Amino acid sequence: MSNMPAPSPLRIGERSFKSRLLVGTGKYRDFDETRLAIEASGAEIVTVAIRRTNIGQNQGEPSLLDALPPSRFTMLPNSAGCYTADDAVRTLRLGRELLDGHTLCKLEVLGDPHTLYPNMAETLRAAETLVRDGFEVMVYCSDDPIMAKQLEEIGCVAVMPLASLIGSGMGILNPWNLQIIIGNAKVPVIVDAGVGTASDAAIAMELGCDGVLMNTAIAAAKQPVLMASAMRKAVEAGREAFLAGRMPKKLYSAAPSSPTAGLITPGKPA
Amino acid sequence: MNYPIPQEPAPLQGPGPTLRLTVNGENRTFPAPLTCAGLVDALSLAGRRIALERNGEIVPRSRLADTPLAHADTIEIVVAVGGG
């Protein structure tokens, strides 16, 4: 093990993390399942949504932040469900107040309710406002290399292109675009949305992504806690494979893995 | 001619003055005067991790106790919930 390099942390702005898996907290059966799945995932950064509180009977109603205390996890409040820059900025400002001035956030401005594809014009506008306002913006975006670059230039601390549509589980549809984005980026590139199973997460990491953010792939698995554990391993395996550097692909091998000499029966002439 | 003397309309509720607010989209009436902290108390949300917006402006937690509410204010109170 002496040749094993120490795993490099994921650096987002001034923060650094051991885990490169970021997870959402939606769609679980209850807070117990949420907590168990997130513990199994090893994630340190968890996304949360900001919504109106129930103003009826609140006594004793469990709260997400009791199950996932902000002292233990890095909260990533999101602007999920917002369709304009103004709504997203307003939501994320409320999230910052809710979390005692915590400036890290996930910006997401959606384009339409059927595909949940990001509206990039509004996303760019919101990113400018939020960065000016002191937020550390991790931004959900299309897998368009120019958009990703512009978001980086605005000052976002991470760009988070989709692998495929939110909640689709379709995996990585355009690895070539992701590679261009990774090649051009000076901030972490985190695949956000579309991962369906462990191999998708591993492929994202093998491409050189700095991390993977997912929710439905874990929460909608038949056994979410087991899938969370699989995702943890997939992200670690993909990262190590990326660092190790894969062998080149060849149509066939002229170099078998076992020695050609010393066969007890002569093979075909060389 | 005897004209009737206009009468003040009866208060909507209770003996004292009241405050009509829109809280998270619902019309609610509270006894006046009321601060933001008083509203949070009245809704049994004290001690919970919330953020409050009054007429589109965030009221920081440190200012809830000294920010009075006015008639017809629109209030949003949010919490963190599960999301991706």
Side-chain angles (χ1 to χ4, degrees), chain A residues 10 12 17-25 28 38 41-47 74-76 104-106 138 158 160 188-193 195 205 210-216 218 231-232 235, chain B residues 83-84:
Chain A
L10 168 63
I12 296 172
F17 303 93
K18 287 202 230 30
S19 172
R20 291 176 177 271
L21 174 57
L22 295 74
V23 295
T25 55
Y28 287 99
I38 287 164
S41 78
E44 297 163 273
I45 303 177
V46 299
T47 61
T74 298
M75 291 291 143
L76 191 60
L104 197 66
C105 68
K106 171 180 161 177
M138 301 175 70
M160 305 203 292
V189 177
I190 293 169
V191 154
D192 180 1
V195 165
M205 296 307 292
D210 296 281
V212 180
L213 197 166
M214 65 180 75
N215 190 153
T216 312
I218 297 174
M231 290 300 185
R232 170 188 203 149
V235 168

Side-chain angles (χ1 to χ4, degrees), chain A residues 22-38:
Chain A
L22 295 74
V23 295
T25 55
K27 301 184 186 173
Y28 287 99
R29 200 169 43 218
D30 51 38
F31 289 147
D32 265 348
E33 189 183 66
T34 312
R35 183 178 52 78
L36 290 171
I38 287 164

Side-chain angles (χ1 to χ4, degrees), chain A residues 25 52 61 78 90 97 100, chain B residues 48 53 61 76 81 83-84:
Chain A
T25 55
R52 281 174 167 173
E61 188 188 326
N78 69 26
R90 187 176 166 202
E97 168 61 21
D100 306 318
Chain B
R48 292 194 159 252
E53 205 185 53
R61 195 164 310 152
E76 295 289 341
V81 301

